[in-house]
Amino acid sequence: VVSTQSTGAAEWGIFEVNLKRLSTSTSTVHTETSNMSYTVNSSGKYVISIAPEMWKMIMSRDGFAGIHPVPHYKLESGRYIIELAAAQWGIFEMNLKRLTTSTVHPSTSNMSYTINSSGKYVISIAPDLWKMIMSR
């Protein structure tokens, strides 16, 4: 018997984190990119090491949105080190996906679009073009 459950994006992120945690050792280092890596410590917290360039992008684009309080950091060897609980890590992962997919794509001077964190297209249309589209 297959069970189905509808969840929001935040709940799905937490579920994914929990699945990953179940299938990985708590001492494994997970390298995402040269800009960021993380380990899961013995208490289940994610210890994240972030390069300065990545840190600037995260901070300038509200990369800790939904995480309260915003995590404190310490500097080690020029990298920012933070700790997040599993639920916070799920939110942070979703924010990172949003940061890397929310670029504006100018199609014409009358229309542009972005792709939001849920994968939906958010289209900005100039009034004149909107009138033309609606008239047809």
Side-chain angles (χ1 to χ4, degrees):
V1 174
V2 175
S3 176
T4 60
Q5 177 70 37
S6 177
T7 64
E11 294 162 323
W12 176 253
I14 293 167
F15 177 71
E16 283 184 307
V17 168
N18 289 336
L19 284 179
K20 286 179 187 176
R21 191 178 56 176
L22 291 173
S23 64
T24 61
S25 165
T26 58
S27 62
T28 306
V29 175
H30 305 274
T31 302
E32 299 285 321
T33 67
S34 60
N35 288 325
M36 189 177 82
S37 63
Y38 69 92
T39 61
V40 181
N41 67 19
S42 60
S43 65
K45 290 201 173 197
Y46 287 73
V47 180
I48 307 160
S49 173
I50 305 169
E53 308 81 37
M54 181 76 158
W55 181 262
K56 287 177 189 172
M57 182 187 76
I58 290 167
M59 296 306 289
S60 69
R61 297 186 183 174
D62 202 18
F64 293 113
I67 300 173
H68 300 288
V70 172
H72 295 285
Y73 67 88
K74 60 183 176 181
L75 283 172
E76 286 183 13
S77 302
R79 295 178 69 89
Y80 294 84
I81 310 297
I82 60 170
E83 284 189 14
L84 297 176
Q88 293 172 319
W89 171 253
I91 294 168
F92 183 65
E93 276 192 310
M94 288 186 302
N95 289 344
L96 287 178
K97 288 177 186 173
R98 177 183 52 83
L99 295 178
T100 59
T101 60
S102 290
T103 55
V104 175
H105 303 277
S107 299
T108 68
S109 59
N110 292 324
M111 184 175 76
S112 64
Y113 70 94
T114 61
I115 303 171
N116 70 14
S117 60
S118 65
K120 292 185 179 180
Y121 288 75
V122 179
I123 304 168
S124 175
I125 303 171
D128 292 341
L129 181 57
W130 179 254
K131 288 178 189 174
M132 183 183 77
I133 292 169
M134 296 308 292
S135 71
R136 293 183 182 191

